[in-house]
Amino acid sequence: FLNMIGTLPKSIVVGISNFDRKRDFTLPTTIEKDKRDYPTTGGSAKFIAFIEKELQPFIQKKYKVNAVKTIIGQSLGGLLATEILLKKPQLFDKYIIVSPSLWWDNESLLLQARKLLKEHSPQKLQVYISVGTEGKQMEDDAALLVETLKVRENQRVSVLFAPMPAENHLTILHNSVYKAFEMLYPKK
């Protein structure tokens, strides 16, 4: 539908059924309470390996695709998209990160971001980040991620930040993704 109105090029949309997002979307935590309350957490490395070694090759083999790959993640999915961006940036070309739960594990991923960015020399990337009125920590963490990524800007990383103060954690996804499509896929 979005390609019919000129917002998005023809695309293959892949949704991954998920039964335990705390397992698949989180890196290991050092927080004892989280380990007790959510004993399955910390499986993001396996999930990322699945995307890289199974899912993407399957899609490339089964369908006629071009080289452009986009990931969309919100909340814990935004944490996962950020982890991929920092640790395996070559997996996607465009990152749409909405209200990322960067607070996870006392912000350990955010605290490692500068180091991880230096370790990985990404191809040309476009990163769109948005956050609503979702509390000081969520808002500050998103802004800090943007600031950290902007250090790499002009070095093949383009960062677009779209705060959406009229939205909250429950309402932001659709409006934010639509805005991301407008910014990442401008009309020709």
Side-chain angles (χ1 to χ4, degrees):
F1 171 74
L2 288 173
N3 66 328
M4 291 171 53
I5 58 174
T7 304
L8 188 65
K10 285 185 179 181
S11 301
I12 297 172
V13 177
V14 178
I16 304 170
S17 181
N18 183 275
F19 300 101
D20 187 349
R21 66 189 189 95
K22 288 222 169 54
R23 176 193 66 207
D24 295 336
F25 296 174
T26 60
L27 53 145
T29 183
T30 58
I31 310 301
E32 291 303 323
K33 182 179 182 332
D34 289 343
K35 288 179 185 179
R36 279 191 312 277
D37 292 349
Y38 312 107
T40 62
T41 61
S44 62
K46 275 185 164 179
F47 196 73
I48 294 167
F50 160 74
I51 291 169
E52 178 181 23
K53 294 181 169 90
E54 294 180 48
L55 182 61
Q56 287 185 345
F58 173 81
I59 292 166
Q60 290 166 349
K61 184 178 178 184
K62 182 114 175 133
Y63 301 99
K64 184 179 177 182
V65 296
N66 64 24
V68 178
K69 293 176 267 184
T70 303
I71 186 170
I72 301 170
Q74 189 225 1
S75 194
L76 286 177
L79 176 69
L80 178 72
T82 303
E83 184 177 0
I84 294 169
L85 170 65
L86 296 173
K87 294 180 178 178
K88 295 268 188 174
Q90 72 281 1
L91 291 183
F92 297 93
D93 306 284
K94 297 178 189 285
Y95 287 80
I96 299 173
I97 300 171
V98 181
S99 305
S101 295
L102 297 169
W103 51 264
W104 179 257
D105 189 39
N106 282 339
E107 301 174 325
S108 65
L109 185 62
L110 190 56
L111 295 172
Q112 297 174 55
R114 287 190 197 277
K115 177 180 168 263
L116 291 168
L117 284 168
K118 287 179 184 173
E119 290 175 9
H120 301 283
S121 186
Q123 75 284 8
K124 188 172 180 169
L125 301 176
Q126 290 182 293
V127 182
Y128 168 93
I129 299 169
S130 69
V131 66
T133 300
E134 303 179 57
K136 183 169 174 34
Q137 184 167 16
M138 290 280 288
E139 294 165 39
D140 288 352
D141 286 352
L144 184 55
L145 177 61
V146 169
E147 180 182 310
T148 302
L149 292 170
K150 283 201 176 265
V151 169
R152 288 301 296 259
E153 200 167 39
N154 298 328
Q155 295 178 10
R156 306 181 60 80
V157 178
S158 169
V159 183
L160 306 164
F161 186 39
M164 300 186 118
E167 304 296 340
N168 62 49
H169 203 67
L170 298 175
T171 65
I172 191 169
L173 182 63
H174 294 96
N175 287 333
S176 183
V177 170
Y178 188 84
K179 181 76 170 172
F181 289 158
E182 286 181 330
M183 294 173 82
L184 295 174
Y185 299 96
K187 291 181 183 179
K188 294 179 179 171

